[in-house]
Amino acid sequence: MNRALTIGFGVLACLLAGAVLRTDPMGSLQWSALARVLQASTVLAAQGVACLGGGATILQILRRRLPSPEGAAPVNWLAAWITGWLTWGLLALPIAQAGWLGPYTALLPGLILAAGWVARPSIRLPSPHTITWCMVGVVVIVGGIDAAAPPIDTDELYQHLALPGRFLREGRLLGGVLHPDGSRPQLLSMLYAPLLAWGTDTAPRLLSTACAAGILLGLDDLIRRIAPDRATLAIALSGSVLLGSYSFLHETGLAANNLPVSLAVLATAAAALAAQPIAMVACAGAALSFKYTAAGAITGIWLVAGLPWKTRILTGLLALACVGPWWVRNGLDGLHPFFPYLGWGSLPTGAPPGDLTFQYLEKYGAGRTARDFLLLPFRAVLTAEVGSFLKAHGSTLLEKLRAGWPWALALQATLFQFAYTSVFGAYSGFLFLRTGHLSAACAAHCLCNYMQLPDVLFVVGDGEYARLRPI
């Protein structure tokens, strides 16, 4: 079974790589493009090594100085990497605010973090399954080719590459702290700035490829820890879901924030399940600073963390401290605390509110009022795509396997449950969109849970319903 899966994923990786290389219209395999990828890979590797060593050293120092159940165990590589990201961004922000940001000064946080290797931190590196290595190979090949091609995505051209580029040209945060782009943490842009300066626009895009590979490796590590008996099947299924997800593969090779946020959220989940509060705070703070919408996932992780409630509350407050100062500052300056583009009244920059509108709320039909903002988490769930609704029930497969079900029967039952529940999930979303009221969707969902499947045993039974058996 294991050998067949390994061979199958290896063949899939080779076929996909060959198809991509054969049909690539962007000339990504020219020598100039390959040289640019090599330069970008070198710069990215240097940044990753600095973040890994510095982050691990910081976590070990905090463990020794603060009461923590983690003890002297080696630091998880993923938690160390994300902690290094957070530290790099926080060190670069005052440099940019002082107007000193440039190609050389952007490297100062990296030099400080790299000094952490002097302390010789103990790091637990990943030891993934062969299947995971095959999937990582697919991601690296596809993402590397995308990164070598010219950037064409709107978000990366006008936001994720444009902002760090302007930071480097102007030497400071765009428009100062009173500008809406400076009204929220720019830690990811602080990571992109040195990559852009020394590794061209290919390096930030390779970072997302590294994040995609890190997600697969981190998922492998997490599955081995929580489901060791069924690790091979769970790794294969979860990896296949990711590789078949448009939102995962589409972001690979793009200078965006979704994959870095996903990696930080995964690191937060791993730290929470391992009862590691210090690493949990650092990874959750990084995820929130990269993208506020990570709050939903972080809240769920916070609720299931294997920590006392007092520790959970403290870790939550510390994670919010990474982004809270921006929220307070936005409110004091008349901006929306979380979405500064939305604006309340006249903006401090002098521009009318209509010139700095936040488009995504209306793009997804959520509206702009305070009531719409409060309902945003519910709408984000109820209007999600059906695929996301189905993936949320994947844990039932593991539960059946743990209960001793044959894997073929467990897979059939789970797929049937997927199909059945997706009907009510889609119907609940339809009711919510048509009525605009949460009560209608809740009523349909409650009815689904209460009624369960129709009882059709009377057509085959020999008991009191046997008389209803069709002739």
Side-chain angles (χ1 to χ4, degrees), residues 17 21 26 55 65 83 134 139 211 235 242 276 292 316 336 344 376 381 425 444 453 468:
L21 294 177
M26 304 301 296
R65 295 181 178 274
T83 302
C134 294
V139 167
C211 290
I235 289 170
L242 285 177
Q276 298 174 348
Y292 287 162
H336 191 289
W344 291 344
L376 186 59
V381 173
L453 285 174
L468 300 177

Side-chain angles (χ1 to χ4, degrees), residues 157-461:
L157 285 174
Y158 289 95
Q159 177 74 16
H160 300 296
L161 290 177
L163 275 181
R166 290 195 64 176
F167 292 165
L168 289 170
R169 289 193 301 271
E170 299 181 11
R172 61 185 303 130
L173 294 177
L174 179 60
V177 294
L178 291 183
H179 192 283
D181 271 320
S183 301
R184 48 191 172 163
Q186 294 290 344
L187 302 192
L188 189 60
S189 294
M190 295 297 102
L191 288 172
Y192 281 166
L195 296 178
L196 195 60
W198 296 96
T200 71
D201 59 22
T202 302
R205 305 169 78 204
L206 281 179
L207 178 60
S208 70
T209 303
C211 290
I215 290 172
L216 293 172
L217 294 174
L219 193 61
D220 177 287
D221 190 39
L222 187 60
I223 289 174
R224 285 171 178 268
R225 192 164 53 191
I226 63 177
D229 297 335
R230 299 287 181 175
T232 301
L233 181 60
I235 289 170
L237 289 175
S238 59
S240 301
V241 170
L242 285 177
L243 292 181
S245 169
Y246 172 81
S247 58
F248 180 78
L249 277 185
H250 172 71
E251 296 285 336
T252 303
L254 295 181
N257 57 0
N258 290 329
L259 290 181
V261 170
S262 301
L263 186 63
V265 169
L266 178 61
T268 306
L273 294 176
Q276 298 174 348
I278 298 176
M280 182 179 170
V281 168
C283 297
L288 290 172
S289 67
F290 292 166
K291 196 169 186 177
Y292 287 162
T293 50
I298 297 298
T299 302
I301 294 170
W302 181 80
L303 291 174
V304 300
L307 297 168
W309 275 104
K310 182 179 179 181
T311 306
R312 293 194 212 183
I313 294 173
L314 181 60
T315 56
L317 293 176
L318 290 175
L320 289 177
C322 296
V323 292
W326 281 268
W327 297 347
V328 175
R329 172 234 166 260
N330 292 342
L332 293 176
D333 287 324
L335 296 172
H336 191 289
F338 307 128
F339 301 110
Y341 281 110
L342 207 161
W344 291 344
S346 299
L347 297 176
T349 55
D355 290 350
L356 290 170
T357 54
F358 187 78
Q359 300 294 334
Y360 292 99
L361 292 176
E362 287 173 341
K363 177 180 177 181
Y364 294 110
R368 291 172 176 270
T369 65
R371 175 178 175 274
D372 292 323
F373 178 74
L374 293 175
L375 289 175
L376 186 59
F378 298 100
R379 291 175 171 169
V381 173
L382 290 172
T383 60
E385 59 180 10
V386 175
S388 300
F389 185 81
L390 300 182
K391 295 170 190 175
H393 293 268
S395 60
T396 57
L397 177 61
L398 291 178
E399 293 176 359
K400 289 180 174 60
L401 293 175
R402 287 177 178 176
W405 287 42
W407 72 269
L409 182 60
L411 182 61
Q412 293 174 8
T414 304
L415 290 176
F416 179 77
Q417 185 181 10
F418 281 176
Y420 174 69
T421 56
S422 66
V423 173
F424 274 89
Y427 185 58
S428 297
F430 167 77
L431 290 176
F432 179 77
L433 292 175
R434 290 299 298 268
T435 64
H437 292 282
L438 191 62
S439 57
C442 287
H445 194 68
C446 291
L447 179 65
C448 170
N449 290 343
Y450 177 76
M451 297 299 294
Q452 301 183 8
L453 285 174
D455 186 1
V456 294
L457 295 179
F458 65 86
V459 300
V460 294

